[in-house]
Amino acid sequence: MTHRDWVAQAIRKIEADFNRSADTHLIPLSLPGFPGIDIYLKDESSHPTGSLKHRLARSLFLYALANGWLREGAPVIEASSGSTAVSEAYFARLLGLPFVAVIPASTSPEKIAAIEFQGGRCQLVERACDLDGASHRLARETGGHFMDQFTYAERATDWRANNNIAESIFKQMALEPHPVPEWIVCSPGTGGTAATLGRYVRYRCHDTRILCADPEVSVFFDGYREALAGRPWRDIASTGGSRVEGIGRPRVEPSFIPSCVDAMVKVPDALSLAAMRHVSATLGRRVGGSTGTNFVGVLAAAQRMRAAGRGGSIVTILCDSGERYAHSYYDRAWYPAHGIDTVQADAAIAAAVAGGTLPALDCVELAGGG
């Protein structure tokens, strides 16, 4: 079999797998303190690998195959805090390719088990800022391909259509009372989802605005603020790793496109995780920490709409299930060990949901934003 034949066969396998999969659900969520504002969760946990990253992994594999970067028998390497690696391991196994995830040593045991269940191998790195370098080295040493989600996420996804998350949201919203959302709220991990959403709403001429909620230990917010001020922003970096797994980065990743985002808020981890617990209790099932960060963004957007006397809808993303975090966010002992208050944060989220005011959040927006 020639390389071209192998690539064609691999693409057919991925497309067939997609054809066997249903779309993810859009779930209404009650927000009692904000009458006239409808909230929806796009439940990405129902993908075969359990998270939003399933879409990204499929796109990255198709992009790499179309570019001729993957070869039969050669390993695939990815730098990932867990969910992308789980999804990429799934597609690597589908194609019969070895997969190695380069992940922070702090990654939850459940995520490591999920990567290994899909046939992947994990290489642990102590500092999050070293993931990229370690992945490049491993690819050179093994003759494999470093998938590099943080560079290619924004370009691998077809933002015009092809059932990307934006197109799916708008199709599912079509029969709702407010079919064009006022806001879509997401949180940046690579920046690719925000880029897809921002490009799609502009391409379709929707008035929807994109709000990014950045976790506490991350520099995307700082990069966005500097970009909007016309100052250098690409090289902003820190050494810390985000405590909200799957989102937040110690550097501003290449896939983050500030002009695709209408506003950003910075969310303290205590509020993110209190919001996670609130959403879990409301739905009757556990969600991950990044969904909590998104929900704080939803509350900020709802308060803004109410202050402007506007009704409408807000859509956000339920990124993954909370079952992957039994040893962290759903273990009471984890919080004091990480210096995170729960009592005040839970009270703040409960008050905001009931119509009160959130604790003040740092916020920046594009000029001319509504």
Side-chain angles (χ1 to χ4, degrees), residues 175-250:
L175 299 181
E176 299 301 317
H178 305 286
V180 177
E182 290 280 314
W183 292 94
I184 298 178
V185 179
C186 64
S187 45
T190 62
T193 298
T196 297
L197 292 167
R199 288 165 172 166
Y200 184 87
V201 298
R202 288 165 176 79
Y203 178 63
R204 294 297 182 188
C205 303
H206 294 307
D207 290 332
T208 304
R209 289 162 291 171
I210 308 304
L211 173 66
C212 257
D214 201 29
E216 183 176 326
V217 187
S218 174
V219 298
F220 283 120
F221 180 88
D222 307 272
Y224 183 73
R225 181 178 54 202
E226 295 303 293
L228 266 55
R231 295 188 289 263
W233 56 278
R234 276 293 182 193
D235 294 331
I236 295 174
S238 71
T239 56
S242 175
R243 292 181 295 193
V244 182
E245 286 192 36
I247 60 172
R249 291 292 295 158

Side-chain angles (χ1 to χ4, degrees), residues 51 78 95 101 108 113 118 143 165 186 194 201 276 292 294 309 314 343 354:
S51 82
E78 183 59 282
L95 304 185
S108 66
Q118 296 293 347
I165 190 169
C186 64
V201 298
M276 172 201 76
N294 288 343
I314 303 172
V343 176

Side-chain angles (χ1 to χ4, degrees), residues 66-67 73 117 165 213 251 285-286 324:
N67 282 323
F117 175 80
I165 190 169
R251 68 173 192 173
R285 60 185 175 94
R286 291 176 172 180
R324 292 177 173 176

Side-chain angles (χ1 to χ4, degrees), residues 214-217 243-244 265-274 292-293 296 340 345 359-362:
D214 201 29
E216 183 176 326
V217 187
R243 292 181 295 193
V244 182
V265 292
K266 189 76 166 176
V267 181
D269 290 346
L271 277 186
S272 288
L273 299 174
T293 306
V296 175
I340 296 176
L361 303 175
D362 287 338

Side-chain angles (χ1 to χ4, degrees), residues 15 17-25 42 44 47-48 52 54-56 58-59 62 156-172 196-197 200 204:
E15 293 295 288
D17 178 79
F18 174 72
N19 208 41
R20 294 191 295 268
S21 301
D23 201 356
T24 61
H25 301 296
K42 180 65 168 163
E44 295 292 284
H47 283 295
L52 168 66
H54 193 85
R55 292 183 191 269
L56 173 59
R58 181 195 296 123
S59 295
L62 290 172
T157 300
D158 183 355
W159 49 268
R160 294 175 186 84
N162 196 25
N163 195 39
N164 66 45
I165 190 169
E167 182 187 41
S168 178
I169 286 170
F170 278 90
K171 282 185 176 180
Q172 291 176 318
T196 297
L197 292 167
Y200 184 87
R204 294 297 182 188

